[in-house]
Amino acid sequence: QVQLTESGGGLVQAGGSLRLSCEVSGRDLSMYVMGWFRQAPGKERELVTAFTWGAGGTHYADSVKGRFSISRDRAKNTGYLQMNSLKPEDTAVYYCALKFRGSQDWNNFGQGTQVTVSS
């Protein structure tokens, strides 16, 4: 059974940085896409970035381009979201997720980690 475990959230001042981790167990990721979503209070969940594990293609939401970057460690089956130049509007619960390549459905989500950016 696949399990996604996020870590690395916390409180940071505006302009600061955080790195989130998503460790995946129970799944060979070579045919999967890993994504990072976020959901702020009162707002819908949005896709921040996605990464095709085997091919390396990436997608970033316009709101985070140039500030966030996604990467992976194949040996650790872990994905990372490096967040720089954080803004108060980046405050949200961040979730990592998986979908099969070519699918539209994100079927597996982690428990989420809180990121709070103070002004």
Side-chain angles (χ1 to χ4, degrees):
Q1 183 175 352
V2 64
Q3 184 171 356
L4 290 74
T5 305
E6 300 108 334
S7 61
L11 173 64
V12 64
Q13 288 188 332
S17 298
L18 284 174
R19 189 177 79 156
L20 306 183
S21 301
C22 177
E23 182 178 3
V24 182
S25 60
R27 182 67 50 89
D28 176 354
L29 296 179
S30 58
M31 293 300 293
Y32 283 82
V33 178
M34 175 177 281
W36 286 93
F37 289 77
R38 67 185 180 187
Q39 188 165 21
K43 295 188 177 181
E44 293 187 355
R45 186 168 57 190
E46 66 168 331
L47 178 64
V48 173
T49 180
F51 181 89
T52 303
W53 194 270
T58 56
H59 160 81
Y60 293 96
D62 288 343
S63 58
V64 305
K65 280 181 182 176
R67 301 188 298 121
F68 290 13
S69 63
I70 190 171
S71 62
R72 72 185 184 295
D73 184 326
R74 292 178 188 264
K76 295 182 178 179
N77 230 35
T78 298
Y80 302 97
L81 179 63
Q82 178 67 43
M83 305 185 294
N84 299 325
S85 302
L86 283 161
K87 305 175 181 180
E89 52 263 43
D90 294 318
T91 295
V93 178
Y94 284 71
Y95 302 87
C96 64
L98 295 177
K99 68 171 183 173
F100 195 77
R101 286 172 63 180
S103 171
Q104 298 299 315
D105 299 323
W106 296 91
N107 293 315
N108 303 101
F109 283 83
Q111 81 284 359
T113 186
Q114 176 71 45
V115 171
T116 302
V117 184
S118 63
S119 57

